[in-house]
Amino acid sequence: MQISPPVRPEQSIQRLIQVLEPIAEKLKVVPRRRIMWKYKNKPQLYLFLQGELSILRSSDGLLIVTVYEPHLFGIAEMIQPVHGHLLRAEAESTILRVDADKARELFHQQGLWEDAAAVLSYHTGYLFYRDDLVVQQRTYSVIRNHLEEMILLPEETRKRMSILDYIQDRTHLSRSSVLNVISALKKGGYIDFERGGYLTTINKLPERF
């Protein structure tokens, strides 16, 4: 049974952004630029405000998730600097950079650690959710899960990324495996896509194929 995605802690994210924004440095980030966790050898928090930002696994560049709504990154790295993930802008984006030590002081002064914990809990929950999409699943199940995820994206975003690229960025499935399934789904009338493989519609996908 597939688990549901965690609920974004909207109020906690907004409170943290509101408190950190006055001490943050504003950055305009160009597409495909990678963002490092340290600046001038000091750990940083990043407030994503606008655009499109992906989290990638550092070891192999596997794309974990792409976000479009305001969010806060770097709390886990501030506490435990493992640096197992990195950030990459997918479109021109507005991001605020905050020195982690200054953020830590504000969290103490204004009693914001509960909000910080809510964001960390959300990130942990999302990793469990994503693992449920791909780990020990049959090839078709993985593709179906990602098609259902993809159709929820804004149309403008879907028209910039083919089905093949979307799934291969997020999984280790082979090109032929993905193409065979999506071709069969289109022939069966379950999905439709434009020239170039840009997803347009999904009918109810079968549980097995």
Side-chain angles (χ1 to χ4, degrees), residues 29-42:
V29 184
V30 297
R32 310 304 287 181
R33 177 180 167 184
R34 294 189 173 192
I35 300 160
M36 301 296 104
W37 291 116
K38 287 188 176 182
Y39 176 68
K40 294 184 178 179
N41 211 34
K42 292 184 177 181

Side-chain angles (χ1 to χ4, degrees), residues 17-36:
I17 289 177
Q18 186 176 10
V19 168
L20 293 171
E21 194 166 358
I23 64 168
E25 178 185 359
K26 188 174 183 180
L27 307 173
K28 286 287 188 181
V29 184
V30 297
R32 310 304 287 181
R33 177 180 167 184
R34 294 189 173 192
I35 300 160
M36 301 296 104

Side-chain angles (χ1 to χ4, degrees), residues 103-151:
R104 192 192 303 267
E105 288 178 20
L106 281 178
F107 289 176
H108 282 302
Q109 291 171 5
Q110 302 198 28
L112 293 170
W113 280 110
E114 186 174 342
D115 289 317
V119 175
L120 280 174
S121 178
Y122 173 73
H123 290 170
T124 301
Y126 193 90
L127 289 175
F128 280 119
Y129 165 69
R130 188 198 169 278
D131 281 351
D132 192 54
L133 293 181
V134 298
V135 176
Q136 294 182 345
Q137 295 267 18
R138 294 177 181 272
T139 296
Y140 169 69
S141 296
V142 174
I143 294 172
R144 182 195 64 212
N145 290 340
H146 282 83
L147 287 170
E148 290 175 341
E149 183 179 78
M150 191 177 187
I151 199 64

